Amino acid sequence: MSAKILDGKAIALELRESIRAEVDRQVAAGKPRPGLAVIMVGDDPASAVYVRNKKIACEKAGFNDVSEVLPAQTTQQEVLALIDKLNADESVHGIIVQLPVPAHIDPEEIIERISPCKDVDGFHPYNVGRLATRMPIMAPCTPHGVMTMLAKTGIQLRGLDAVVVGASNIVGVPQLLELLNERATVTVCHSATKNLAHKVAQADLVVVGVGIPEMVKGDWIKPGAIVIDVGINRMDDGRLVGDVEFEVAKEHASWITPVPGGVGPMTIATLLENTMKVAYHLDCKAK
Ligand code: GUN
């Protein structure tokens, strides 16, 4: 059996086109364009690629891009002051700080300073708490993008045995919450997990986000399972590979995401979706 490919690039394009159409409708009705501020501190090369792609996606969707690239030596106080300014600016609907930040910057204080109403990354403890209590407002982009992709398979998540490999704040933990809210039975595995292969082999759905090339072996995958690979790793020869051994896994899975062109494009499309929600559909009461 060879798996069906869950084509994130195509799903993201469809989502971005629907966002563009809505922005055009809202602007024609006199509403402002959604404004998104992506703050990047320093010059991490992978972050620079993401930030450039976010800028292009913003422009194509008809958003105002108010991104700021700050030098690596920018202080914590300067970043906080910029966030205060953007929080107060009514033309800015979404604010994110690209992670990782340089070592002298405390990301937790930065994330908590962003107004929960403009936290389109969904990383603020208020929004994490809303998701954890089944009252989501703003869900983190990568795991929420995965949920959009899973909906495209038409497979019911209720009652499925799901294994999430990786327990980060950006992917693993919000993915657990999203799947739990859909009534899947979720196991989260991490670097201290014993017998990972055995756990993955039990899963009807596997979501992997660890940042280790081909860490999950293809022959661990249960026949017919859905495999979602969040990893994007650049190899010395320039190839991009995921966290799952794709060529073998696709012979076991029913659905699988490719790398590149799987989850990656969904993250940016979901960021636009969250920002549009703030601009037009959200009556946020958080302080
Ligand atoms: N770095 C890697 N993924 C993300 C993300 O989704 N948001 C932010 N802010 N930084 C990231």
Side-chain angles (χ1 to χ4, degrees):
M1 185 172 65
S2 194
K4 283 182 272 204
I5 299 294
L6 199 42
D7 185 347
K9 204 169 156 189
I11 300 167
L13 186 62
E14 193 185 317
L15 180 55
R16 283 166 50 177
E17 282 172 351
S18 77
I19 292 168
R20 171 83 219 201
E22 165 136 25
V23 170
D24 288 347
R25 268 196 309 277
Q26 297 277 5
V27 170
K31 294 277 176 50
R33 292 189 179 280
L36 175 62
V38 178
I39 302 171
M40 178 171 148
V41 187
D43 49 13
D44 178 76
S47 294
V49 173
Y50 284 128
V51 171
R52 199 181 63 231
N53 289 341
K54 282 173 186 166
K55 204 177 176 70
I56 294 168
C58 261
E59 280 157 15
K60 286 194 180 155
F63 284 33
N64 284 332
D65 170 66
V66 281
S67 295
E68 304 249 3
V69 178
L70 305 174
Q73 65 274 19
T74 305
T75 65
Q76 179 84 6
Q77 287 311 317
E78 286 167 332
V79 180
L80 293 173
L82 174 59
I83 291 171
D84 290 344
K85 187 184 90 174
L86 295 167
N87 278 341
D89 183 341
E90 278 185 14
S91 72
V92 175
H93 301 93
I95 305 168
I96 76 167
V97 176
Q98 186 66 32
L99 302 174
V101 284
H104 68 280
I105 300 281
D106 167 13
E108 270 112 39
E109 192 186 17
I110 300 280
I111 288 167
E112 283 208 79
R113 192 68 157 250
I114 296 171
S115 161
C117 300
K118 297 191 178 189
D119 168 39
V120 286
D121 254 335
F123 293 166
H124 190 290
Y126 174 84
N127 284 316
V128 179
R130 295 286 308 203
L131 185 60
T133 49
R134 300 177 192 273
M135 299 185 288
I137 295 180
M138 210 61 71
C141 300
T142 300
H144 195 69
V146 167
M147 300 309 282
T148 305
M149 296 175 93
L150 288 171
K152 292 283 177 190
T153 67
I155 293 168
Q156 278 281 333
L157 299 178
R158 185 187 163 86
L160 283 194
D161 287 330
V163 167
V164 176
V165 186
S168 69
N169 290 345
I170 298 179
V171 179
V173 170
Q175 193 73 73
L176 152 73
L177 297 173
E178 289 266 16
L179 291 167
L180 193 59
N181 287 348
E182 292 303 317
R183 314 285 291 138
T185 303
V186 193
T187 303
V188 181
C189 301
H190 44 77
S191 53
T193 296
K194 289 179 292 185
N195 217 343
L196 179 65
H198 175 76
K199 291 188 171 65
V200 169
Q202 308 297 310
D204 304 311
L205 165 63
V206 188
V207 182
V208 188
V210 288
I212 303 173
E214 299 186 334
M215 193 252 222
V216 168
K217 301 300 167 207
D219 62 6
W220 296 356
I221 304 297
K222 177 164 126 177
I226 307 168
V227 176
I228 307 287
D229 190 348
V230 180
I232 302 184
N233 309 287
R234 187 165 295 279
M235 309 304 280
D236 289 341
D237 61 6
R239 269 182 322 130
L240 287 177
V241 304
D243 292 348
V244 178
E245 194 187 20
F246 179 86
E247 288 303 326
V248 182
K250 81 175 196 312
E251 298 307 320
H252 297 256
S254 58
W255 287 92
I256 191 166
T257 58
V259 176
V263 176
M266 293 303 295
T267 299
I268 293 181
T270 308
L271 179 68
L272 298 178
E273 191 179 35
N274 281 350
T275 307
M276 190 171 73
K277 191 166 156 188
V278 177
Y280 303 136
H281 303 297
L282 202 63
D283 180 21
C284 183
K285 303 254 181 352
K287 285 281 173 289

